[in-house]
Amino acid sequence: MARSAPAPSRRKTADGKSAAERPGGRASSRSSGSVTLSDVAKLAGVSPITVSRVLNRPELVTQNTIDVVREAIARTGYVPNLLAGGLASKRSRLVAAIVPTIASSMFAETVEALTDKLGESGYQVLLGLSGYPAIREDGLLDAILGRRPDGILLTGIMHSPATRQRLLAAGIPVVEIWDYTPTPIDTLVGFSHEKAGDAVARHLLGKGRRRLAVVGADDDRAILRRNGFRAALAGQGITDVPAVTVPAPGTLRTGRDGMARLLDGGARPDAVFCSSDIVAQGVLAEAQSRGISVPGDLAVMGFGDLDFAAYTFPALSTVRIDRRAMGRIAAETMLARMEDRGDIERVIDIGFEVIERAST
């Protein structure tokens, strides 16, 4: 196998310092001006290796040392050459996260919690948006794998055969979130959407509702919830369940339009299960515009328990997912995999909770 020559910044000069450690060295001038890692170490009163550990392995040093070194970095304006550090350690200190969208807090809170937890261990998150459906996932993975991340987080479990094969061949730790399967690519932190749909059906049946309908987006996870909802109703002898599908991600407008299509098509439901709280907000608006009393004539159920759900009129019943816990646990699982710990739980079900409010 051919071997590349040592990088110029690693060669020692007559005074025993590498080019990267000399104020006038080539690597120093290109990556951080005239400020070097040794300059930061002198200002912080620690050794250069300690500064390196703060940058690359913060879990090995105390929080006080981290604070002192980071203050010195801020004062000097030092910019570390993370590429060189990655080549030396065979780690990029990057974790790639692919989510459908960050337009709502549904996924944004999970990404924030993931980023915060990984940041505590010196990792940065490279974010990619796959869209609905996940048409960009394969292309994103091509670009991401070329940058050799230390781990990859994927939303959902529905991936192309090419994606699964590529990830298995890469040997990189993978965490799938926002879904459930006993056979993930590597590890999984999520919950069963079918069970969530089942729980909503049982909640509405328990309220005496018998004419049920669905207004939902066309993404994979919303369809799984709809299937679980319909299966639970079928078990109780209710098979006529009208459904209107709207483009993902659902919006207030498409929720309102979906409810209008449902009613204009002749359906007269006494309960509607929506694929998200935003869609449910549109359903509430359309019902109220037509003089339909909620919850008297119609019960409305959302999904996600977004920030506004408790403040709609009437307050929206929904399904709560601990999105921040999902991100934090996914980060902990990722860290455990990257450190080759032997006691890793491959599948973690974080569950969900049906939240009853005035709309049902």
Side-chain angles (χ1 to χ4, degrees), residues 20 44 51-52 60 90 105 109 178 200 219 224 233 238 284 289 327 356:
V51 176
S52 179
L60 299 180
K90 297 184 180 180
S105 60
E109 291 182 12
W178 273 101
V200 169
D219 67 275
L224 288 173
L233 295 178
I238 301 173
L284 283 174
S289 75
E356 180 181 0

Side-chain angles (χ1 to χ4, degrees), residues 127-293:
L127 183 63
L129 304 182
S130 59
Y132 287 103
I135 55 176
R136 293 193 293 270
E137 187 176 75
D138 286 355
L140 282 169
L141 281 173
D142 284 339
I144 287 169
L145 288 172
R147 288 163 172 78
R148 301 302 300 173
D150 293 331
I152 295 178
L153 178 135
L154 300 173
T155 302
I157 58 174
M158 305 297 289
H159 315 292
S160 72
T163 287
R164 296 183 67 90
Q165 182 177 0
R166 194 176 297 123
L167 289 171
L168 289 170
I172 296 173
V174 175
V175 179
E176 293 166 285
I177 62 170
W178 273 101
D179 216 328
Y180 184 85
T181 177
T183 56
I185 293 174
D186 185 7
T187 57
L188 178 143
V189 180
F191 63 98
S192 169
H193 291 267
E194 294 98 328
K195 288 183 179 179
D198 179 285
V200 169
R202 296 182 185 281
H203 171 76
L204 293 174
L205 289 171
K207 294 295 180 179
R209 309 290 174 164
R210 292 296 181 271
R211 303 188 312 277
L212 299 106
V214 178
V215 176
D218 58 1
D219 67 275
D220 295 332
R221 288 168 295 280
I223 291 171
L224 288 173
R225 293 194 293 274
R226 182 184 68 193
N227 292 345
F229 182 72
R230 281 179 154 173
L233 295 178
Q236 299 299 314
I238 301 173
T239 56
D240 182 14
V241 184
V244 172
T245 302
V246 301
T251 64
L252 191 155
R253 176 180 176 178
T254 58
R256 185 163 183 174
D257 289 347
M259 185 61 179
R261 286 164 52 196
L262 192 67
L263 296 173
D264 293 344
R268 292 296 178 265
D270 62 5
V272 176
F273 176 34
C274 305
S275 60
S276 70
D277 291 346
I278 296 173
V279 170
Q281 190 177 22
V283 168
L284 283 174
E286 184 62 23
Q288 290 165 354
S289 75
R290 298 188 181 217
I292 299 173
S293 171

